[in-house]
Structures are given as C-alpha cells and as structure tokens.
Amino acid sequence: MPLFDLASPQLEAHTTDVVAPEDLDAFWAGTVAQALGHRVPTSCLPVVSTLRLVDSFDVTLGGFDGHPVKAWYHRPAGVEARLPVVVQYQGYGGGRGLVTEVRAWVLAGWGCLEVDTRGQGSMWRPGHTPDPVGSDPSHPGFLTRGIRDPHDYYYRRAYTDAVLAARAARELPGADGRVVVSGGSQGGALAMAAAALADGVLGALIDVPFLCDIPRAADLTDDGPYAELTGYLAVHRDQHEAALRTLAYHDGAVLASRARCPALFSVGVMDQTCPPSTVYAAYNAYVGPKQIRAYRYNTHEGGGSYHEAHQLEWLTTLLG
C-alpha cells in the first residue's frame, strides 16, 4: 500500500478543521448525568473456564439509559492483592468474544475488563449486548444510525457505555481503583471518549483510532466504515449539515481536547481505513501527556505485537 496522505512534517503537524460545538461540554455532562440517573448495580459472577491461570467473571454493567452491557472480567488466578484494571474496548463489529480470549494485560499481572459494544459482535468476534434503541433510516452499519440528531446518534449511546464501563471498573472485585482504557480503531475512539469524559481514568492506550477528524477521513478514503457516511449522504443529499453537526459532538479530534490523562497513541502511516492525518489530528488536540508510535509501512493493523510490547512497558511505568 503506497503512502497516500500528507507527507511529513505536514502529516505530524496536522490539526482538524472541525469546530467544537458551543454546547459540547453541556451536551456530554448532561448525557453522562442522565445515564448515571439510570445506573443499575454491576453484576459480577464467577465463570469456570479451561484457563487455569486466569480467574474470569461474567459481568453485566449498566450503560446508556440503564441498558445492560456485557463484559468479561479477567484476573491472574489466585491473586488476592487488589490490582489495576485495563478496560478494553472493541474494534468495529466485534464483541467481548469467548471467555477464553484473554489479553496480555492479565498475563502481565493486571485485571482486564473486556467490554462489549452494543448491537455489535457479529463481524469478527461474538458479542452479547443488544442495542434496544432504533433510529431513522441509516446506511447498513452503525456510523449513520440516528445521525440526524446528536441526541439520537448511535455513538452517543456507545460512548456513554464506554464511560460507565470505566467507572464500573474501579469497583470490580479485587480492583484497586486505578483504571486504564484501551482500544484500537473503534475501540480507540471509545477509549478516547472514556479518557475525555470519565472521571478517574489513569491512562489511555489509543491505537489507529476511528471517528477522528471525520469529514477529512470521509474525503480521503472509500474504505468502510467511513464509506457508510458517504453512502448515506449520497442518498440523503439534504442531510449533510445535520450529519456534520452530529458528528462534531463525537469527533475524537474534538474530544481529545478534554482528555488529560497520559496517553500512548499509535498510527499506521499507510492506513486507508483510519487515515494517518486523522489520527494525528486527535493526537495533536490531546491535552494530556502523550506519546505516539508511527508504523510507516503498516496499514490498519498498526504496530501489532511490536506495539503491544511497547504498551506493556508503558503500562509498567504507569502502574508500577
């Protein structure tokens, strides 16, 4: 895959043209407060699996409007000490998976909360959380569901679920209250939202994030999921302004300016799914302490296991 986006140093200096809505903070403060008003107790039930070195729990936590959101909670087996928890969000179309699918965070000695994404989990890994809310007509997929109004938008619900999962992680059995949020692609967008909107997040791992500098991404790539947006607007020719207004409330390059915890980003410089300039737009807007690893010859897979090794080192420094 050839280089197709801006050349350095313009790439590394790129910032978004998306303007934060005047009521952005009020919108999200009201959304989270409303969700907390419907909050239900977190259920955490032990699960027996074939992994003898991992203790696992089937978790149900309250999400947007009190809707149940499923997750797995994994800990090193037999460890009685309280541990930090890495909250892991899923890429587009994926769910929490099977109980035996365990991240390296657990092998490193931390807890991990593997969170479903509502309505997803049927593209590449199974999920178990429905989205009980309907929407106006939308293009197949999730990107345009409810896009005519920010209050009805799918990602308002998904971001709120991510925020409440980060809050719930502090209170899980054996948790010490320290929470790091993590994800790639869509999961990176959810981690960004949690870092910006949830209280008490200690750090964020944000890999090749989706939903950043969205109008530019839609102009640069015809890959999915951004192709859902252009496909929708090609049909609904009168909805362009309304769609961009809704997306501005959910754009990671806008929300990054509200995130203050330390963050480690990654970007694939040949990524045609989430173009690298859109990742740099979010990175450059991020106000907390930050680092980024660029993988020049990689696409949407980013740094893979090489970057995971760097993440483990970074987390060890952060968590001790």
Side-chain angles (χ1 to χ4, degrees):
M1 182 67 66
L3 296 172
F4 72 99
D5 204 338
L6 298 172
S8 297
Q10 290 84 4
L11 176 64
E12 296 165 7
H14 176 70
T15 58
T16 186
D17 293 330
V18 179
V19 176
E22 291 184 0
D23 64 340
L24 177 72
D25 295 321
F27 174 86
W28 281 112
T31 296
V32 173
Q34 176 185 334
L36 291 173
H38 293 281
R39 195 178 182 194
V40 297
T42 300
S43 169
C44 190
L45 303 176
V47 175
V48 176
S49 82
T50 53
L51 302 181
R52 291 179 293 172
L53 301 182
V54 179
D55 289 336
S56 297
F57 302 82
D58 187 358
V59 173
T60 305
L61 57 94
F64 178 87
D65 210 19
H67 301 156
V69 176
K70 298 297 293 182
W72 299 119
Y73 175 40
H74 303 292
R75 287 172 52 87
V79 174
E80 296 181 0
R82 293 188 174 274
L83 301 174
V85 176
V86 179
V87 181
Q88 186 72 41
Y89 305 110
Q90 311 307 318
Y92 196 78
R96 66 174 179 167
L98 305 180
V99 69
T100 50
E101 296 179 89
V102 177
R103 305 273 177 171
W105 320 135
V106 183
L107 303 180
W110 305 304
C112 178
L113 184 66
E114 192 84 34
V115 186
D116 251 353
T117 310
R118 63 171 55 227
Q120 299 189 31
S122 296
M123 290 186 183
W124 55 276
R125 200 164 78 155
H128 305 91
T129 300
D131 182 12
V133 180
S135 75
D136 290 333
S138 62
H139 194 279
F142 304 94
L143 183 55
T144 64
R145 292 188 183 182
I147 200 169
R148 299 185 183 195
D149 189 309
H151 293 87
D152 299 331
Y153 191 41
Y154 170 83
Y155 279 103
R156 180 183 180 227
R157 302 191 294 278
Y159 282 11
T160 303
D161 293 345
V163 169
L164 296 188
R167 291 177 62 99
R170 302 200 306 248
E171 303 168 0
L172 291 169
D176 69 3
R178 292 180 292 166
V179 170
V180 173
V181 293
S182 174
S185 194
Q186 177 186 256
L190 296 170
M192 179 82 78
L197 303 172
D199 295 332
V201 174
L202 185 66
L205 302 171
I206 301 171
D207 297 323
V208 294
F210 180 44
L211 296 172
C212 296
D213 203 5
I214 301 170
R216 176 174 175 81
D219 287 346
L220 279 178
T221 182
D222 59 1
D223 279 9
Y226 286 116
E228 296 173 20
L229 177 60
T230 53
Y232 174 86
L233 291 176
V235 175
H236 298 278
R237 296 168 175 83
D238 60 340
Q239 293 298 316
H240 182 256
E241 290 185 6
L244 293 186
R245 178 176 179 271
T246 291
L247 292 170
Y249 287 90
H250 301 82
D251 197 307
V254 172
L255 291 176
S257 66
R258 272 67 177 172
R260 289 171 169 76
C261 64
L264 175 62
F265 284 71
S266 70
V267 58
V269 180
M270 293 184 175
D271 188 350
Q272 289 195 336
T273 301
C274 294
S277 60
T278 69
V279 177
Y280 276 105
Y283 177 75
N284 288 326
Y286 197 95
V287 297
K290 59 192 177 183
Q291 302 175 33
I292 189 167
R293 287 273 173 139
Y295 297 93
R296 179 175 177 84
Y297 297 104
N298 290 95
T299 59
H300 198 50
E301 78 278 8
S305 57
Y306 287 87
H307 188 65
E308 183 180 81
H310 186 66
Q311 288 177 318
L312 289 166
E313 294 174 357
W314 188 86
L315 282 175
T316 300
T317 301
L318 181 71
L319 298 174

